[in-house]
Amino acid sequence: VPVRPSIVKADTGGGGGLVTLGEPTKFGGFGDSASASAFVRPSIAGQYSQAGRVQQRAKTNQDTTLICKLSSNIQVFAVFDGHGSDGHVIATWLAQEMPQALERALGSGGGNEEDGNGVVASVSKAFLDLDDAAKQALGADMLFVSGSTATVALHKGGALMVAGIGDSRSILGGPSPDSEIRVLTTKHNPADPIERARIESMGGEVKVFPDELPIEETGQGRVFKAGDWSPGLAVARAFGDFACKEVGVIALPDVSTVTTAGKQQVLIIASDGVWDVLDDATALQLCLTYAVSQDSAAAARTLVDTSREIWECMVDGTNFAIDDISAIVVFLP
């Protein structure tokens, strides 16, 4: 039975909570059936989101988080980070529509879970279909220069798959602070050679605004129409942003798969409001503070609150903006 989606969108303050995703689940899926007879306890997931600030005033939060379970017992954890004047609209719409899009793409039985490549293809199709659906539902005019990044994790038993577009990120680590940290997402920077080649082949140009540090110093670029100073999108893949879709921005995700069964690891998914100020090791260490209690909601809030404190110090005494900050923390069995 699907779990009713838990969606958090804190309009101007902060909000979140704890979600336990059902009964113990049979291991196996996404092409890995090595321990098909084993059962594992439910994942314990927490989410927290806080609106940023512009000109010393709280802004509309353009981040949205999602936790749910599909009819095939696949657990879904997602963070959407909107941008542009209507970024909050598409981020909220994506959180509402993503479960149904995954159900349709994977099929009512969760797809052929022994075929890992098939599931990757189905999840990728869900992203592309949802991008088309957003254009129809919300309108190409609204989403001409507004869009959203997305990081979506699917977990069943001991199989974890993460699909992402844009600059929200996901890492997996634990059970101890010195354990290996696996980065599960790709940051889709327009200055990346692969992204840049696609953009330039479709009539786009990668550069920065005149008042920004050059790409050679920061490694970060923006997407423009060749010979123009618009739109200036800072990611090479996103939902919406149909002005940039004309010059090479796409909604096709990069997808990674890992096995997690029996490792008692921590999955972190967060918007760039976290990753712009916290490194991976610090984020993991903060979450592992709650490993014994399994209080993932407190872990998510600690990530967000710590990030906000650093942002406050960085912009102290200025009118610089503070980004929206959102995180999901999952203690995997």
Side-chain angles (χ1 to χ4, degrees):
V1 177
V3 171
R4 183 178 180 182
S6 175
I7 297 173
V8 168
K9 179 175 175 54
D11 289 334
T12 56
L18 179 70
V19 179
T20 300
L21 292 172
E23 297 301 318
T25 302
K26 189 174 181 179
F27 178 90
F30 306 153
D32 187 342
S33 56
S35 302
S37 61
F39 284 79
V40 296
R41 64 163 173 76
S43 300
I44 301 174
Q47 55 195 338
Y48 197 78
S49 183
Q50 183 171 13
R53 191 178 72 200
V54 176
Q55 297 292 326
Q56 302 298 322
R57 294 182 179 181
K59 62 184 286 293
T60 298
N61 192 351
Q62 294 187 300
D63 288 359
T64 306
T65 62
L66 165 70
I67 298 175
C68 70
K69 187 166 71 171
L70 305 182
S71 59
S72 53
N73 285 324
I74 295 175
Q75 303 163 352
V76 178
F77 316 103
V79 171
F80 305 95
D81 182 355
H83 50 259
S85 60
D86 291 301
H88 59 294
V89 177
I90 184 171
T92 302
W93 184 88
L94 287 166
Q96 293 168 342
E97 298 297 324
M98 181 61 78
Q100 292 80 7
L102 291 170
E103 291 274 19
R104 288 191 296 268
L106 293 169
S108 59
N112 180 4
E113 295 173 12
E114 298 304 315
D115 179 7
N117 291 331
V119 177
V120 170
S122 294
V123 171
S124 297
K125 183 179 186 300
F127 271 59
L128 297 176
D129 288 349
L130 206 52
D131 195 43
D132 290 338
K135 189 175 186 178
Q136 297 298 318
L138 302 178
D141 290 342
M142 173 184 284
L143 301 181
F144 194 62
V145 290
S146 293
S148 179
T149 69
T151 298
V152 180
L154 288 79
H155 180 253
K156 184 175 183 181
L160 175 67
M161 177 179 294
V162 179
I165 54 175
D167 56 6
S168 299
R169 299 178 62 245
S170 178
I171 65 171
L172 181 70
S176 63
D178 58 353
S179 300
E180 177 189 6
I181 297 175
R182 300 191 63 168
V183 178
L184 303 177
T185 47
T186 301
K187 184 177 180 180
H188 293 125
N189 176 4
D192 177 86
I194 294 175
E195 307 295 325
R196 187 171 196 160
R198 184 186 65 252
I199 291 164
E200 292 177 346
S201 72
M202 295 184 66
E205 183 179 4
V206 177
K207 55 186 178 182
V208 294
F209 287 116
D211 61 348
E212 294 180 319
L213 293 173
I215 294 175
E216 292 74 19
E217 291 188 31
T218 66
Q220 176 64 47
R222 294 180 179 272
V223 181
F224 298 87
K225 295 181 179 180
D228 201 346
W229 286 107
S230 66
L233 183 64
V235 292
R237 305 191 192 194
F239 286 109
D241 291 300
F242 290 106
C244 293
K245 293 286 166 61
E246 300 172 1
V247 290
V249 170
I250 59 176
L252 181 70
D254 278 327
V255 182
S256 61
T257 58
V258 295
T259 299
T260 64
K263 298 179 182 179
Q264 298 182 331
Q265 293 179 302
V266 182
L267 174 68
I268 303 172
I269 307 170
S271 63
D272 62 344
V274 169
W275 305 116
D276 282 350
V277 296
L278 290 182
D279 60 40
D280 295 351
T282 301
L284 176 63
Q285 188 168 13
L286 288 171
C287 292
L288 288 176
T289 304
Y290 300 92
V292 174
S293 66
Q294 299 279 286
D295 192 344
S296 54
R301 178 158 190 167
T302 296
L303 275 182
V304 172
D305 287 348
T306 302
S307 300
R308 179 60 181 251
E309 290 172 5
I310 297 172
W311 276 99
E312 294 278 4
C313 291
M314 289 170 54
V315 306
D316 184 41
T318 75
N319 284 324
F320 290 140
I322 294 176
D323 202 0
D324 305 322
I325 309 171
S326 300
I328 291 177
V329 175
V330 189
F331 290 107
L332 297 172

